[in-house]
Amino acid sequence: MAYRHQPVLLAEVLEQLRTTSRSIVVDCTLGGAGHAEAILSQLPPSGILIGIDQDVAAISEAEVRTARFGQQITIVRDNFRNLERILTDAGVEEVDGVLFDLGVSSAQLDAAERGFSYWHDSRLDMRMNPQAKLSAIDVVNTYSCERIAQVLREYGEERWASRIAEFICRSREQAPIETTAQLAQIVRDAIPASARRSGPHPARRTFQALRIEVNDELNAIATTLPIAVQRLAKGGRIVVISYHSLEDRIVKQAFTRLAQGCICPPKVPQCQCGRTPQLKILTRRPIRPTAAEIANNPRARSAKLRAAERV
Ligand SMILES: C[S@@+](CC[C@H](N)C(=O)[O-])C[C@H]1O[C@@H](n2cnc3c(N)ncnc32)[C@H](O)[C@@H]1O
């Protein structure tokens, strides 16, 4: 199947990263290289881009799409949480720009066999890295009921979390839950009809929660943001696009913390903590896609872009 993914907030990413004057940019979520290709096209001839993704299919697409840039691009298949090591291995001390375009790509969602979506019936999988040990089948069939409910509550903000977990556990006593259609039906059965009538697909929150758990998405971003900022050169910029409130909260809080200077109590005459701001926040409010972009690419509708500059 062709790899299809339209880069979100592309012009805004290029503007915030100021790509025309950069030497080294890291795209931590390379995907099919939609953003990366545009960044490479704007970099000066001496500029390079390091692209990271944990998905082999994305890497293959990115390699083809960026082949014409030759030595200007280095592609690394890894989890971005290993950013520190990846940069050290590449012999890079400081970078001028870092991009995170979080979550899954349209290509991953649309590839039925990847088991990310309730729109296709296939084996429940949801691993961005197909070599990772934990898949969604393991979560629904081996986690305790309480833990499943917790995952659905925390990562899906699902108000019916306990009930859905109960239905999952009851169903797996009969037979293992192995497909996306089976799981979608269990969720549908668990949510009362009155609550199902309006809004998005009833399984949306459950699928989101399982995907986040399987790929440990929130911990990955929370641990990597400070590392990325530490590796930014003075004046370098970090740009993050998130797609749901849990991600956006982590980005907002990390930026706020890193932009904070001294945290000593006001009574202390001289600073004891020694903290100085590492970041200047460039987007007090997140940048959102225009109505035209959303009409053209509905998957952009929940995107929020936050940017900050190393000081
Ligand atoms: C929204 S897509 C990026 C699309 C890309 N910006 C483009 O325009 O083609 C997110 C990509 O990040 C990758 N990804 C997500 N979390 C990751 C992580 N922790 N480490 C490495 N790659 C990750 C996914 O595999 C996916 O390909």
Side-chain angles (χ1 to χ4, degrees):
M1 196 171 122
Y3 189 104
R4 285 206 187 84
H5 179 90
Q6 251 179 284
V8 172
L9 290 165
L10 180 57
E12 293 81 353
V13 165
L14 297 175
E15 190 188 324
Q16 292 299 324
L17 278 177
R18 297 230 178 115
T19 37
T20 48
S21 60
R22 299 302 186 188
S23 305
I24 306 180
V25 175
V26 186
D27 183 345
C28 289
T29 49
L30 183 64
H35 287 107
E37 186 183 31
I39 293 170
L40 281 158
S41 307
Q42 290 204 343
L43 285 181
S46 59
I48 63 162
L49 182 135
I50 300 173
I52 305 169
D53 205 294
Q54 58 181 333
D55 182 355
V56 259
I59 297 274
S60 303
E61 172 69 15
E63 279 171 351
V64 173
R65 195 155 174 186
T66 61
R68 71 180 191 280
F69 296 100
Q71 303 286 327
Q72 277 195 288
I73 177 162
T74 302
I75 297 182
V76 182
R77 184 164 74 80
D78 205 335
N79 194 303
F80 62 58
R81 63 201 313 165
N82 298 319
L83 183 62
E84 183 81 53
R85 177 172 50 69
I86 294 168
L87 293 180
T88 305
D89 287 355
V92 168
E93 197 60 50
E94 287 188 330
V95 303
D96 305 300
V98 181
L99 171 66
F100 291 88
D101 177 22
L102 298 171
V104 274
S105 63
S106 306
Q108 287 166 328
L109 281 173
D110 292 343
E113 73 282 1
R114 303 294 297 266
F116 278 106
S117 170
Y118 38 78
W119 297 115
H120 314 281
D121 186 18
S122 74
R123 196 173 155 79
L124 254 184
D125 189 324
M126 303 196 188
R127 289 170 302 169
M128 288 187 202
N129 169 7
Q131 289 164 357
K133 285 205 185 82
L134 186 75
S135 76
I137 287 205
D138 303 315
V139 176
V140 295
N141 289 292
T142 67
Y143 278 25
S144 69
C145 249
E146 292 71 29
R147 192 146 165 233
I148 294 176
Q150 190 186 2
V151 166
L152 301 187
R153 208 173 295 121
E154 283 181 12
Y155 294 161
E157 300 182 294
E158 172 57 73
R159 72 182 269 236
W160 302 103
S162 301
R163 213 173 128 83
I164 296 170
E166 216 178 278
F167 273 58
I168 287 176
C169 292
R170 214 182 296 154
S171 170
R172 76 188 187 191
E173 277 171 21
Q174 312 301 317
I177 303 161
E178 291 182 331
T179 67
T180 50
Q182 257 178 297
L183 180 64
Q185 187 58 49
I186 293 167
V187 177
R188 198 184 289 276
D189 293 344
I191 299 181
S194 54
R196 258 189 280 125
R197 238 167 256 137
S198 59
H201 192 290
R204 191 179 66 91
R205 289 172 180 277
T206 297
F207 274 64
Q208 172 188 303
L210 291 175
R211 197 199 85 202
I212 293 175
E213 171 68 11
V214 166
N215 298 290
D216 198 20
E217 291 177 34
L218 301 186
N219 289 323
I221 182 69
T223 54
T224 312
L225 285 178
I227 297 170
V229 170
Q230 212 157 20
R231 289 296 198 123
L232 271 182
K234 190 163 175 267
R237 289 191 167 188
I238 177 165
V239 172
V240 187
I241 307 176
S242 61
Y243 293 88
H244 53 79
S245 57
L246 299 168
E247 277 172 353
D248 184 55
R249 202 175 306 146
I250 290 172
V251 181
K252 184 177 171 190
Q253 286 173 353
F255 278 14
T256 306
R257 206 171 39 248
L258 292 162
Q260 204 176 27
C262 170
I263 50 165
C264 295
K267 278 185 266 163
V268 179
Q270 226 183 354
C271 171
Q272 308 282 316
C273 72
R275 277 180 61 143
T276 51
Q278 294 186 51
L279 279 184
K280 180 174 86 184
I281 295 173
L282 301 169
T283 47
R284 283 282 148 211
R285 283 166 180 278
I287 298 174
R288 308 290 312 263
T290 59
E293 176 169 0
I294 296 170
N296 177 44
N297 180 14
R299 279 187 182 149
R301 68 185 170 276
S302 55
K304 286 185 180 168
L305 181 153
R306 292 187 186 270
E309 187 171 288
R310 186 79 154 102
V311 290

